[in-house]
Structure formats: structure tokens, C-alpha cells
Amino acid sequence: MSWARLDALAGRASNRLFGELVRVEPQANSSRIVVGGADPDRPAFEARATLDITDHSDHARGEGTRTGSRQDVVVQEVALLIEASSIVAPNEMPKIGDYVVALDRPGAPKFKIATPAGQNGGRFLFMLVPVAPVV
């Protein structure tokens, strides 16, 4: 059995255990700063993917404070792993600025893709940032 076949089997097993339903909403003229609205050339699609939200404590880099104390903040890292087989057409590949909605989570939180796809075996890895809900 080839390594690629084993990796694909492991990815599907991981999706069955840890995956959840997400909707990818492509955005036109997207960047980290400007969003141009939904992209008519790339339809939204739903896929089962692994969404990992990790909170950890971090501190500011630099000289510190006069008292020698250190201010820690809680930082959230959000990673999305989508199996390559979930992306059927080349124009479905999520890009920076596209939205990802976690449909299985309470309130369906929305995230924005902050980094381009990296390859992790038979899966694509994206780093996301939370999008504040519209009130």
C-alpha cells in the first residue's frame, strides 16, 4: 500500500472522528483589509473538515515594564484542515479573505482565512481569524 493511500485513509478516519460541517463562502477581491462581497465565480460549498481552536497564554515581546512584571494575554489560534478530495473543482480552493462558517457549533461562528493553503499530507491547512458577529 502506498504512502498516499495510507495518508488518505488516515485523513478520512480523522474527519469521521474530529470533523465537523463547515461552509466556505468565497469573497471577491478579498485581502486582509478589504472585502468585496461574495464572489459570483466561486460558489459557496459545505465540507466536513477539522476545525481546531486552541487558546493559549502569550506575552508581549520587548523590554517589559518598569516593575519587571509581564502582561500575559490569551491568544486564540484557529486552524482548518480540509481533505483535498473535498475540493472538487480548482476554483473551489479557499483563498485569503474567504469566510468559513462552523455550522455544527453553537451560533455558527464565522472565521476569515488569514493564510493561504499549506499542504499537510492529503489535506489543506488554513489559519483563520475570528470574525466578530454583526449585532
Side-chain angles (χ1 to χ4, degrees):
M1 190 175 278
S2 72
W3 171 253
R5 175 96 172 111
L6 288 173
D7 187 50
L9 289 171
R12 282 195 289 276
S14 175
N15 248 0
R16 277 194 308 277
L17 291 172
F18 306 111
E20 58 188 272
L21 190 62
V22 298
R23 182 176 57 244
V24 177
E25 299 175 346
Q27 300 297 299
N29 301 320
S30 300
S31 71
R32 289 183 182 201
I33 299 167
V34 178
V35 176
D39 187 341
D41 297 328
R42 297 186 302 136
F45 68 94
E46 293 180 2
R48 224 168 141 68
T50 304
L51 184 63
D52 179 30
I53 301 174
T54 304
D55 294 330
H56 61 87
S57 180
D58 201 358
H59 60 275
R61 308 286 189 255
E63 296 296 319
T65 63
R66 289 182 219 184
T67 62
S69 65
R70 182 174 81 175
Q71 296 294 319
D72 284 349
V73 295
V74 176
V75 178
Q76 190 175 65
E77 288 184 343
V78 184
L80 179 73
L81 279 166
I82 299 179
E83 277 191 66
S85 63
S86 296
I87 301 171
V88 180
N91 68 340
E92 284 186 347
M93 176 62 79
K95 298 178 181 176
I96 292 175
D98 288 352
Y99 291 130
V100 175
V101 181
L103 299 173
D104 287 345
R105 295 187 183 229
K110 185 183 269 191
F111 303 91
K112 188 176 187 180
I113 296 176
T115 63
Q119 194 83 29
N120 183 359
R123 291 163 283 182
F124 293 106
L125 172 66
F126 301 90
M127 297 306 291
L128 311 176
V129 293
V131 173
V134 179
V135 179

